[in-house]
Amino acid sequence: LIDSTELIVETYQHTLGELAGLEVDRQTIIAGFGTPLVDNLHRMSPDPSLVPTMMEHYSEYNARRHDELVTAFPDAHETLTRLREAGVRMAIVTGKRRRYAMMGLELCEMTSFFDVVVTPESTTRGKPDPEPVVAALDGLGVSAARALLVGDSPHDLSAARAAGVRAAAALWGPFERPLLAAAEPDYWLERCSAVVGVVTASLGSTRSPSRK
């Protein structure tokens, strides 16, 4: 729904460069998209003791640059509008901490579409563990069989699989198709608006898609 790739990459590179003297390439950072910040910093930092300071530095820089670098993907707002008009209840399941997830939703005027927002503060484990997806289902009050998760990372799709939820791979995100294919998604979506057809035709207009 929201393109924050450049913001996230720039923030990681700035944080790791400033505090650890590391030059981290773009693909190494993108590989962790969809999973919690603290897990990724532990993965990339040479010194675990630096992680708390990195979390603070990341947060400050991310907030400062957020509105300049974050935009909605094409057709995202229109897609959410059509789903809401069809009576579909929706949840966000994201690896972003709640403050930044809400900043993006508010900036892109999407907050009102979502009944549930699951962030790393909501659960003990993050994606690809199924716990965040299960939390979204519980919040929506729907079964896994009546839900669809639309995700643009392998971690999203794996979490859906583990939770028993149908998964749709979003090809407009930062991951190439071969990386998404390993999670064996049920659907391939070339553009955001294609979600509407999948939901209404395959799951019924009352079923609930969750998105990162």
Side-chain angles (χ1 to χ4, degrees):
L1 296 175
I2 297 172
D3 187 358
S4 54
T5 296
E6 296 309 317
L7 172 65
I8 295 171
V9 169
E10 181 178 304
T11 305
Y12 271 115
Q13 289 178 334
H14 186 272
T15 299
L16 291 161
E18 286 284 313
L19 299 182
L22 295 178
E23 293 185 8
V24 183
D25 67 89
R26 183 184 184 86
Q27 289 308 311
T28 297
I29 295 169
I30 288 175
F33 275 22
T35 60
L37 170 63
V38 65
D39 294 347
N40 284 314
L41 288 175
H42 274 291
R43 175 173 62 90
M44 291 184 279
S45 173
D47 182 355
S49 69
L50 291 174
V51 170
T53 303
M54 286 183 171
M55 294 275 288
E56 295 179 9
H57 190 89
Y58 183 103
S59 298
E60 185 279 327
Y61 189 86
N62 189 282
R64 177 154 46 91
R65 296 283 285 151
H66 183 276
D67 290 4
E68 298 175 61
L69 297 176
V70 169
T71 59
F73 280 112
D75 299 327
H77 201 278
E78 177 187 354
T79 298
L80 293 173
T81 300
R82 292 173 64 189
L83 289 170
R84 179 59 83 189
E85 289 173 348
V88 177
R89 298 185 65 214
M90 293 176 279
I92 292 283
V93 181
T94 180
K96 293 180 182 178
R97 285 180 293 170
R98 189 170 190 86
R99 175 187 176 189
Y100 303 104
M102 298 311 297
M103 283 176 65
L105 291 174
E106 290 164 8
L107 178 68
C108 297
E109 300 182 343
M110 296 179 180
T111 309
S112 63
F113 292 108
F114 296 97
D115 303 292
V116 176
V117 178
V118 177
T119 65
E121 296 93 332
S122 309
T123 60
T124 303
R125 295 176 295 276
K127 296 177 288 185
D129 190 277
E131 185 181 356
V133 180
V134 173
L137 296 174
D138 290 344
L140 291 172
V142 300
S143 67
R146 292 176 60 81
L148 173 74
L149 185 145
V150 182
D152 62 6
S153 87
H155 311 296
D156 298 332
L157 306 178
S158 295
R161 283 291 187 197
V165 172
R166 294 185 188 185
L171 292 173
W172 56 89
F175 287 90
E176 299 292 335
R177 185 174 182 132
L179 291 174
L180 299 173
E184 300 182 341
D186 299 285
Y187 308 97
W188 291 97
L189 305 178
E190 297 283 347
R191 60 192 184 282
C192 193
S193 58
V195 176
V196 178
V198 171
V199 172
T200 57
S202 301
L203 300 177
S205 63
T206 62
R207 297 179 183 183
S208 306
S210 302
R211 173 61 160 76
K212 144 182 137 165

Coordinates of all heavy atoms in Angstrom, one line a residue, residues 79-156:
T79 N -8.1 1.3 -4.4 CA -8.3 -0.1 -4.1 C -8.9 -0.3 -2.7 O -9.9 -1.0 -2.5 CB -7.0 -0.9 -4.2 OG1 -6.5 -0.9 -5.5 CG2 -7.2 -2.4 -3.8
L80 N -8.4 0.4 -1.7 CA -9.0 0.4 -0.4 C -10.4 0.9 -0.4 O -11.3 0.3 0.3 CB -8.1 1.2 0.6 CG -6.7 0.6 0.8 CD1 -5.9 1.6 1.7 CD2 -6.8 -0.7 1.5
T81 N -10.7 1.9 -1.1 CA -12.0 2.5 -1.2 C -13.0 1.4 -1.7 O -14.1 1.2 -1.2 CB -12.1 3.7 -2.0 OG1 -11.2 4.7 -1.5 CG2 -13.5 4.3 -2.2
R82 N -12.6 0.8 -2.8 CA -13.5 -0.2 -3.4 C -13.7 -1.4 -2.5 O -14.8 -2.0 -2.4 CB -12.9 -0.7 -4.7 CG -12.9 0.4 -5.8 CD -12.1 -0.1 -7.1 NE -12.8 -1.2 -7.7 CZ -12.2 -1.9 -8.7 NH1 -11.0 -1.6 -9.1 NH2 -12.9 -2.9 -9.2
L83 N -12.7 -1.8 -1.8 CA -12.8 -3.0 -0.8 C -13.8 -2.6 0.3 O -14.6 -3.3 0.7 CB -11.5 -3.4 -0.3 CG -10.6 -4.1 -1.3 CD1 -9.2 -4.2 -0.7 CD2 -11.1 -5.5 -1.7
R84 N -13.6 -1.4 0.8 CA -14.4 -0.9 1.9 C -15.9 -0.8 1.5 O -16.8 -1.2 2.2 CB -14.0 0.4 2.4 CG -14.8 1.0 3.6 CD -14.9 0.1 4.8 NE -13.7 0.3 5.6 CZ -13.4 -0.5 6.6 NH1 -14.2 -1.5 6.9 NH2 -12.3 -0.3 7.4
E85 N -16.1 -0.3 0.3 CA -17.5 -0.2 -0.3 C -18.1 -1.6 -0.5 O -19.3 -1.7 -0.4 CB -17.5 0.6 -1.6 CG -17.2 2.1 -1.4 CD -17.0 2.8 -2.8 OE1 -16.8 2.1 -3.8 OE2 -16.9 4.0 -2.8
A86 N -17.3 -2.6 -0.7 CA -17.8 -4.0 -0.9 C -18.0 -4.6 0.5 O -18.4 -5.8 0.5 CB -16.8 -4.8 -1.7
G87 N -17.7 -4.0 1.6 CA -18.0 -4.5 2.9 C -16.8 -5.4 3.4 O -17.0 -6.1 4.4
V88 N -15.7 -5.2 2.8 CA -14.5 -6.0 3.3 C -13.9 -5.4 4.5 O -13.6 -4.2 4.5 CB -13.5 -6.2 2.1 CG1 -12.2 -6.9 2.6 CG2 -14.1 -6.8 0.9
R89 N -13.6 -6.2 5.5 CA -12.9 -5.7 6.7 C -11.4 -5.9 6.5 O -11.0 -7.0 6.0 CB -13.4 -6.3 8.0 CG -14.9 -6.0 8.2 CD -15.3 -6.6 9.5 NE -14.6 -5.9 10.6 CZ -14.2 -6.6 11.8 NH1 -14.4 -7.8 11.9 NH2 -13.6 -5.9 12.7
M90 N -10.6 -5.0 6.9 CA -9.2 -5.1 6.6 C -8.3 -4.8 7.8 O -8.6 -4.1 8.7 CB -8.8 -4.0 5.5 CG -9.5 -4.4 4.2 SD -9.2 -3.1 2.9 CE -10.4 -1.9 3.3
A91 N -7.1 -5.5 7.8 CA -6.1 -5.3 8.8 C -4.7 -5.0 8.2 O -4.5 -5.5 7.1 CB -6.0 -6.5 9.7
I92 N -3.9 -4.4 8.9 CA -2.5 -4.2 8.5 C -1.7 -5.1 9.4 O -1.9 -5.2 10.6 CB -2.0 -2.7 8.8 CG1 -2.7 -1.8 7.8 CG2 -0.5 -2.6 8.7 CD1 -2.1 -1.8 6.4
V93 N -0.7 -5.9 8.8 CA 0.2 -6.7 9.6 C 1.6 -6.2 9.1 O 2.0 -6.6 8.0 CB 0.0 -8.2 9.4 CG1 1.0 -9.0 10.2 CG2 -1.4 -8.6 9.7
T94 N 2.3 -5.5 9.9 CA 3.6 -4.9 9.5 C 4.7 -5.1 10.5 O 4.5 -5.3 11.7 CB 3.4 -3.4 9.2 OG1 4.6 -2.8 8.8 CG2 2.9 -2.7 10.5
G95 N 5.9 -5.1 9.9 CA 7.1 -5.2 10.7 C 7.5 -3.8 11.2 O 8.4 -3.7 12.1
K96 N 6.8 -2.7 10.8 CA 7.1 -1.4 11.3 C 6.6 -1.2 12.7 O 5.5 -1.7 13.0 CB 6.5 -0.3 10.4 CG 7.1 -0.3 9.0 CD 6.4 0.8 8.2 CE 6.9 0.9 6.8 NZ 6.2 1.9 6.0
R97 N 7.3 -0.5 13.5 CA 6.7 -0.2 14.8 C 5.5 0.8 14.7 O 5.4 1.5 13.6 CB 7.8 0.5 15.7 CG 8.8 -0.5 16.2 CD 9.9 0.1 17.1 NE 10.7 1.0 16.3 CZ 11.6 1.8 16.8 NH1 11.7 1.9 18.1 NH2 12.4 2.5 16.0
R98 N 4.7 0.7 15.7 CA 3.3 1.3 15.5 C 3.4 2.8 15.1 O 2.7 3.3 14.3 CB 2.5 1.1 16.8 CG 1.1 1.6 16.6 CD 0.2 1.2 17.8 NE -1.2 1.4 17.5 CZ -2.0 0.5 16.8 NH1 -1.5 -0.6 16.5 NH2 -3.2 0.8 16.6
R99 N 4.3 3.5 15.8 CA 4.4 5.0 15.5 C 4.6 5.2 14.0 O 4.0 6.1 13.4 CB 5.6 5.6 16.3 CG 5.8 7.0 15.9 CD 7.1 7.6 16.6 NE 7.4 8.9 16.2 CZ 8.5 9.6 16.5 NH1 9.4 9.0 17.2 NH2 8.7 10.8 16.1
Y100 N 5.5 4.5 13.4 CA 5.8 4.7 12.0 C 4.8 4.1 11.0 O 4.5 4.7 10.0 CB 7.2 4.2 11.7 CG 8.2 4.8 12.6 CD1 8.7 4.1 13.7 CD2 8.5 6.2 12.5 CE1 9.5 4.8 14.6 CE2 9.4 6.8 13.4 CZ 9.9 6.1 14.5 OH 10.7 6.7 15.4
A101 N 4.2 3.0 11.4 CA 3.1 2.5 10.6 C 1.9 3.5 10.6 O 1.4 3.8 9.5 CB 2.6 1.2 11.2
M102 N 1.6 4.1 11.7 CA 0.5 5.1 11.7 C 0.9 6.4 11.0 O 0.1 7.0 10.4 CB 0.1 5.4 13.2 CG -0.4 4.2 14.0 SD -1.7 3.2 13.1 CE -3.0 4.4 13.0
M103 N 2.2 6.7 11.1 CA 2.6 7.9 10.3 C 2.4 7.8 8.8 O 1.9 8.7 8.2 CB 4.1 8.2 10.6 CG 4.4 8.8 11.9 SD 6.2 9.0 12.2 CE 6.6 10.2 10.9
G104 N 2.7 6.6 8.3 CA 2.5 6.3 6.9 C 1.0 6.3 6.5 O 0.6 6.8 5.5
L105 N 0.2 5.6 7.3 CA -1.2 5.6 7.0 C -1.8 6.9 7.1 O -2.7 7.3 6.2 CB -1.9 4.7 8.1 CG -1.6 3.2 8.0 CD1 -2.2 2.4 9.1 CD2 -2.1 2.6 6.6
E106 N -1.4 7.7 8.0 CA -2.0 9.1 8.1 C -1.5 10.0 7.0 O -2.3 10.7 6.4 CB -1.6 9.7 9.5 CG -2.3 9.1 10.7 CD -1.7 9.4 12.0 OE1 -0.8 10.2 12.0 OE2 -2.1 8.8 13.0
L107 N -0.2 9.9 6.6 CA 0.3 10.7 5.5 C -0.5 10.4 4.2 O -0.8 11.3 3.4 CB 1.8 10.4 5.3 CG 2.5 11.1 4.2 CD1 2.5 12.6 4.5 CD2 3.9 10.6 4.0
C108 N -0.7 9.1 4.0 CA -1.4 8.6 2.8 C -2.9 8.6 2.9 O -3.6 8.1 2.0 CB -0.8 7.3 2.4 SG 0.9 7.3 2.0
E109 N -3.4 9.1 4.0 CA -4.9 9.1 4.2 C -5.6 7.8 4.1 O -6.6 7.6 3.5 CB -5.5 10.2 3.3 CG -5.0 11.6 3.4 CD -5.6 12.6 2.5 OE1 -6.3 12.2 1.5 OE2 -5.5 13.8 2.8
M110 N -5.0 6.8 4.8 CA -5.5 5.4 4.8 C -6.0 4.9 6.1 O -6.5 3.8 6.2 CB -4.4 4.5 4.2 CG -4.0 4.8 2.8 SD -2.7 3.6 2.2 CE -2.5 4.1 0.6
T111 N -5.8 5.7 7.2 CA -6.1 5.2 8.5 C -7.5 4.6 8.7 O -7.7 3.6 9.3 CB -5.9 6.3 9.5 OG1 -4.6 6.9 9.3 CG2 -5.9 5.8 10.9
S112 N -8.5 5.3 8.1 CA -9.9 4.9 8.3 C -10.3 3.6 7.7 O -11.3 3.1 8.0 CB -10.8 6.1 7.8 OG -10.6 6.2 6.4
F113 N -9.5 3.1 6.8 CA -9.8 1.8 6.1 C -9.6 0.6 7.0 O -10.2 -0.5 6.7 CB -9.0 1.7 4.8 CG -9.3 2.7 3.8 CD1 -8.5 3.7 3.4 CD2 -10.5 2.6 3.1 CE1 -8.8 4.6 2.5 CE2 -10.9 3.5 2.1 CZ -10.0 4.5 1.8
F114 N -8.8 0.7 8.0 CA -8.3 -0.5 8.8 C -8.9 -0.6 10.2 O -8.9 0.3 11.0 CB -6.8 -0.5 8.8 CG -6.2 -0.6 7.5 CD1 -5.8 0.5 6.8 CD2 -6.1 -1.8 6.8 CE1 -5.3 0.5 5.5 CE2 -5.6 -1.9 5.5 CZ -5.2 -0.8 4.9
D115 N -9.5 -1.8 10.4 CA -10.1 -2.1 11.7 C -9.0 -2.5 12.7 O -9.2 -2.4 13.9 CB -11.1 -3.2 11.5 CG -12.2 -2.9 10.5 OD1 -13.0 -1.9 10.8 OD2 -12.2 -3.5 9.4
V116 N -7.9 -3.1 12.2 CA -6.9 -3.6 13.1 C -5.5 -3.3 12.5 O -5.4 -3.4 11.3 CB -7.0 -5.2 13.2 CG1 -5.9 -5.8 14.0 CG2 -8.4 -5.6 13.8
V117 N -4.6 -2.9 13.3 CA -3.2 -2.6 12.9 C -2.3 -3.4 13.8 O -2.2 -3.1 15.0 CB -2.8 -1.1 12.9 CG1 -1.4 -1.0 12.5 CG2 -3.8 -0.3 12.0
V118 N -1.6 -4.5 13.3 CA -0.7 -5.3 14.1 C 0.7 -4.9 13.8 O 1.1 -4.9 12.6 CB -0.9 -6.8 13.8 CG1 0.0 -7.7 14.5 CG2 -2.4 -7.2 14.1
T119 N 1.4 -4.5 14.8 CA 2.8 -4.1 14.7 C 3.7 -4.9 15.6 O 3.1 -5.7 16.4 CB 2.9 -2.6 15.1 OG1 2.6 -2.4 16.5 CG2 2.0 -1.7 14.2
P120 N 5.0 -4.8 15.6 CA 5.8 -5.6 16.5 C 5.5 -5.4 18.0 O 5.8 -6.4 18.8 CB 7.2 -5.1 16.2 CG 7.2 -4.6 14.8 CD 5.8 -4.0 14.7
E121 N 4.9 -4.3 18.4 CA 4.5 -4.2 19.8 C 3.3 -5.1 20.1 O 3.1 -5.3 21.3 CB 4.1 -2.7 20.1 CG 5.3 -1.7 19.9 CD 5.3 -1.1 18.5 OE1 4.9 -1.7 17.6 OE2 5.8 0.0 18.4
S122 N 2.6 -5.6 19.1 CA 1.4 -6.3 19.4 C 1.6 -7.8 19.7 O 0.7 -8.4 20.3 CB 0.5 -6.2 18.1 OG 0.3 -4.9 17.7
T123 N 2.8 -8.3 19.3 CA 3.0 -9.7 19.5 C 4.4 -10.0 20.0 O 5.3 -9.1 20.0 CB 2.9 -10.5 18.1 OG1 3.8 -9.9 17.2 CG2 1.5 -10.3 17.5
T124 N 4.6 -11.3 20.4 CA 6.0 -11.7 20.9 C 6.9 -11.9 19.7 O 8.1 -11.6 19.8 CB 5.8 -12.9 21.8 OG1 4.9 -12.7 22.8 CG2 7.2 -13.3 22.3
R125 N 6.4 -12.5 18.7 CA 7.2 -12.9 17.5 C 6.7 -12.1 16.3 O 5.5 -11.9 16.1 CB 7.2 -14.4 17.3 CG 7.8 -15.2 18.4 CD 7.7 -16.7 18.2 NE 6.3 -17.1 18.2 CZ 5.6 -17.4 19.3 NH1 6.2 -17.2 20.5 NH2 4.4 -17.8 19.3
G126 N 7.6 -11.8 15.4 CA 7.3 -11.2 14.1 C 7.3 -12.1 13.0 O 7.6 -13.3 13.1
K127 N 6.8 -11.6 11.8 CA 6.9 -12.5 10.6 C 8.3 -12.9 10.3 O 9.3 -12.1 10.7 CB 6.3 -11.6 9.4 CG 4.9 -11.3 9.5 CD 4.4 -10.4 8.4 CE 4.9 -9.0 8.4 NZ 4.4 -8.1 7.4
P128 N 8.6 -14.1 9.8 CA 7.6 -15.0 9.2 C 6.8 -15.9 10.1 O 6.1 -16.8 9.7 CB 8.5 -15.8 8.3 CG 9.8 -15.9 9.0 CD 10.0 -14.5 9.6
D129 N 7.0 -15.7 11.4 CA 6.1 -16.5 12.4 C 4.7 -16.1 12.1 O 4.4 -14.9 11.8 CB 6.5 -16.1 13.8 CG 5.9 -17.0 14.8 OD1 4.7 -16.8 15.2 OD2 6.6 -18.0 15.2
P130 N 3.8 -17.0 12.3 CA 2.3 -16.7 12.0 C 1.7 -15.9 13.1 O 0.5 -15.4 12.9 CB 1.7 -18.1 12.0 CG 2.6 -19.0 12.9 CD 4.0 -18.5 12.6
E131 N 2.3 -15.6 14.2 CA 1.6 -14.9 15.3 C 1.0 -13.6 15.0 O -0.1 -13.3 15.3 CB 2.6 -14.8 16.5 CG 1.9 -14.1 17.7 CD 2.9 -13.9 18.9 OE1 4.1 -14.3 18.8 OE2 2.4 -13.3 19.9
P132 N 1.7 -12.7 14.2 CA 1.1 -11.5 13.8 C -0.2 -11.6 13.0 O -1.1 -10.9 13.1 CB 2.2 -10.7 13.1 CG 3.5 -11.3 13.5 CD 3.1 -12.8 13.8
V133 N -0.1 -12.6 12.1 CA -1.3 -12.9 11.2 C -2.5 -13.4 12.1 O -3.6 -13.0 11.9 CB -0.9 -13.9 10.1 CG1 -2.2 -14.1 9.2 CG2 0.2 -13.3 9.3
V134 N -2.2 -14.3 13.0 CA -3.2 -14.8 13.9 C -3.8 -13.6 14.7 O -5.0 -13.6 14.9 CB -2.7 -15.9 14.8 CG1 -3.7 -16.3 15.8 CG2 -2.2 -17.1 13.9
A135 N -3.0 -12.7 15.1 CA -3.5 -11.6 15.9 C -4.4 -10.7 15.1 O -5.4 -10.2 15.6 CB -2.3 -10.7 16.4
A136 N -4.1 -10.6 13.8 CA -5.0 -9.8 12.9 C -6.3 -10.5 12.7 O -7.4 -9.9 12.8 CB -4.3 -9.6 11.6
L137 N -6.3 -11.8 12.6 CA -7.5 -12.6 12.4 C -8.4 -12.5 13.7 O -9.6 -12.3 13.6 CB -7.2 -14.1 12.2 CG -6.5 -14.4 10.9 CD1 -6.1 -15.9 10.8 CD2 -7.3 -14.0 9.7
D138 N -7.7 -12.6 14.8 CA -8.4 -12.5 16.1 C -9.1 -11.1 16.2 O -10.2 -10.9 16.7 CB -7.5 -12.7 17.3 CG -7.1 -14.2 17.4 OD1 -7.7 -15.0 16.8 OD2 -6.1 -14.4 18.1
G139 N -8.3 -10.1 15.8 CA -8.8 -8.7 15.9 C -10.0 -8.5 15.0 O -11.0 -7.7 15.3
L140 N -10.0 -9.1 13.8 CA -11.1 -8.9 12.9 C -12.2 -9.9 13.2 O -13.4 -9.7 12.7 CB -10.6 -9.3 11.5 CG -9.6 -8.3 10.8 CD1 -9.0 -8.8 9.5 CD2 -10.3 -6.9 10.6
G141 N -12.0 -10.9 14.0 CA -13.0 -11.9 14.3 C -13.3 -12.8 13.1 O -14.5 -13.1 12.9
V142 N -12.3 -13.2 12.3 CA -12.6 -14.0 11.2 C -11.6 -15.3 11.3 O -10.6 -15.2 11.9 CB -12.4 -13.3 9.9 CG1 -13.3 -12.2 9.7 CG2 -10.9 -12.8 9.7
S143 N -12.0 -16.3 10.6 CA -11.2 -17.5 10.6 C -10.1 -17.4 9.4 O -10.3 -16.6 8.5 CB -12.0 -18.7 10.3 OG -12.6 -18.7 9.0
A144 N -9.1 -18.2 9.5 CA -8.0 -18.2 8.5 C -8.6 -18.5 7.2 O -8.1 -18.0 6.1 CB -6.9 -19.2 8.9
A145 N -9.6 -19.4 7.1 CA -10.2 -19.8 5.8 C -10.9 -18.7 5.1 O -11.1 -18.8 3.9 CB -11.1 -21.0 6.0
R146 N -11.2 -17.6 5.8 CA -12.0 -16.5 5.2 C -11.1 -15.3 5.1 O -11.7 -14.2 4.9 CB -13.2 -16.2 6.1 CG -14.3 -17.3 6.1 CD -15.4 -17.0 7.1 NE -16.1 -15.7 6.7 CZ -17.0 -15.6 5.8 NH1 -17.4 -16.6 5.1 NH2 -17.6 -14.4 5.5
A147 N -9.8 -15.5 5.0 CA -8.9 -14.3 4.9 C -7.9 -14.5 3.8 O -7.6 -15.6 3.3 CB -8.2 -14.1 6.2
L148 N -7.4 -13.4 3.3 CA -6.4 -13.3 2.3 C -5.3 -12.3 2.8 O -5.7 -11.2 3.3 CB -7.0 -12.8 1.0 CG -5.9 -12.5 -0.1 CD1 -5.4 -13.8 -0.7 CD2 -6.6 -11.6 -1.2
L149 N -4.1 -12.7 2.8 CA -3.0 -11.8 3.1 C -2.3 -11.4 1.8 O -1.9 -12.2 1.0 CB -2.0 -12.4 4.0 CG -0.9 -11.5 4.5 CD1 -0.5 -11.8 5.9 CD2 0.4 -11.5 3.6
V150 N -2.2 -10.1 1.6 CA -1.5 -9.6 0.4 C -0.2 -9.0 0.9 O -0.1 -8.1 1.7 CB -2.3 -8.5 -0.3 CG1 -1.6 -8.0 -1.6 CG2 -3.7 -9.0 -0.7
G151 N 0.9 -9.6 0.4 CA 2.2 -9.2 0.9 C 3.3 -9.1 -0.2 O 3.2 -9.7 -1.3
D152 N 4.3 -8.2 0.0 CA 5.3 -8.0 -1.0 C 6.6 -8.5 -0.6 O 7.7 -8.2 -1.2 CB 5.4 -6.5 -1.5 CG 5.8 -5.6 -0.3 OD1 6.1 -6.1 0.8 OD2 5.8 -4.4 -0.5
S153 N 6.7 -9.3 0.5 CA 7.9 -9.9 0.9 C 7.7 -11.4 1.2 O 6.6 -11.9 1.5 CB 8.5 -9.3 2.2 OG 7.9 -9.9 3.3
P154 N 8.8 -12.2 1.0 CA 8.7 -13.7 1.4 C 8.2 -13.9 2.8 O 7.6 -14.9 3.1 CB 10.1 -14.2 1.1 CG 10.8 -13.2 0.2 CD 10.1 -11.9 0.6
H155 N 8.6 -13.0 3.7 CA 8.2 -13.1 5.1 C 6.7 -13.0 5.3 O 6.1 -13.7 6.1 CB 9.0 -12.1 6.0 CG 10.4 -12.0 5.7 ND1 11.3 -13.0 5.9 CD2 11.2 -11.0 5.1 CE1 12.5 -12.7 5.6 NE2 12.5 -11.5 5.1
D156 N 6.1 -12.1 4.5 CA 4.6 -11.9 4.6 C 4.0 -13.3 4.1 O 3.1 -13.8 4.8 CB 4.2 -10.9 3.6 CG 4.7 -9.5 3.9 OD1 5.0 -9.2 5.1 OD2 4.9 -8.7 3.0

